[in-house]
Amino acid sequence: GAGVSQSPSNKVTEKGKDVELRCDPISGHTALYWYRQSLGQGLEFLIYFQGNSAPDKSGLPSDRFSAERTGGSVSTLTIQRTQQEDSAVYLCASSLEGSQPQHFGDGTRLSIL
Amino acid sequence: QKEVEQNSGPLSVPEGAIASLNCTYSDRGSQSFFWYRQYSGKSPELIMSIYSNGDKEDGRFTAQLNKASQYVSLLIRDSQPSDSATYLCAVHPAGGTSYGKLTFGQGTILTVHP
């Protein structure tokens, strides 16, 4: 079956612009996660959605970052007024539910000029 | 102390050898443990999950868990050049407000040379 789908695969934008990154999880997966991976670094947790529960936003680095998940499926991560330090690969993962193995999409490589 | 620590690399082994990757974690109540493989420029790929003490084998891979020592390892037998990648240890916390949030180690770079 289809895996986690992320779009766009690459995004180049100017500093100060807003960007939206999209994630379509595996069908039937109730949990959805966003991570960030900077060059040569480990995975940094950003936000976690589980069903209809309030999301765990504890990893969002600033109030410029927000995410939503509509209808318990597709999620959008929005970064407002982008900064150069936001340049990274943004990875989305989903799992059947919170304690199950997470499966990753191919990521969005974001470059801020 | 980092929540999840992996042995510093890079680790280089000859083709056909056993590669041993180690990981320790700080949350004694952690219940679920995962190993991911990440090729350069690619996203992490789940290769093993383990939930109870002991060994779990899947093909050339064996995961070992010792909750008393807060230690999890991954053995790769008959290593192949295609195993060359970064291996990430991930730990799922016990619960509470952190439920669902995997904590990843920094990764160990493995190189298998012919």
Side-chain angles (χ1 to χ4, degrees), chain A residues 33 37 48 97-98 101-102 105, chain B residues 36 38 43 46 92 99-100 102:
Chain A
Y33 316 78
Q37 188 172 34
Y48 156 55
E97 53 91 13
Q102 298 178 18
Chain B
Y36 287 83
Q38 187 173 27
S43 61
L46 178 71
H92 192 279
Y99 187 73
L102 273 183

Side-chain angles (χ1 to χ4, degrees), chain B residues 66-111:
Chain B
N66 184 326
K67 290 185 178 180
S69 300
Q70 295 173 239
Y71 174 92
V72 58
S73 66
L74 180 70
L75 301 178
I76 306 174
R77 290 183 301 281
D78 187 24
S79 296
Q80 302 297 308
S82 58
D83 295 326
S84 299
T86 298
Y87 288 80
L88 300 167
C89 173
V91 176
H92 192 279
T97 56
S98 296
Y99 187 73
K101 177 180 158 182
L102 273 183
T103 301
F104 285 83
Q106 287 298 103
T108 299
I109 298 172
L110 172 66
T111 301

Side-chain angles (χ1 to χ4, degrees), chain B residues 48-61:
Chain B
M48 288 289 283
S49 57
I50 188 165
Y51 304 95
S52 54
N53 281 329
D55 295 359
K56 179 181 178 182
E57 186 174 320
D58 183 0
R60 295 186 295 111
F61 298 98

Side-chain angles (χ1 to χ4, degrees), chain A residues 22-87:
Chain A
R22 176 189 167 101
C23 173
D24 199 344
I26 294 172
S27 179
H29 281 196
T30 64
L32 185 147
Y33 316 78
W34 284 99
Y35 296 88
R36 178 169 72 174
Q37 188 172 34
S38 301
L39 189 62
Q41 301 298 309
L43 272 74
E44 176 188 5
F45 167 80
L46 297 177
I47 189 168
Y48 156 55
F49 296 89
Q50 172 60 67
N52 295 321
S53 302
D56 176 353
K57 304 179 181 180
S58 60
L60 294 179
S62 77
D63 59 7
R64 296 187 296 105
F65 288 73
S66 63
E68 62 177 20
R69 189 179 184 192
T70 53
S73 181
V74 173
S75 176
T76 302
L77 176 69
T78 301
I79 309 173
Q80 296 179 310
R81 304 181 302 281
T82 52
Q83 304 294 312
Q84 288 189 331
E85 61 263 28
D86 299 334
S87 295

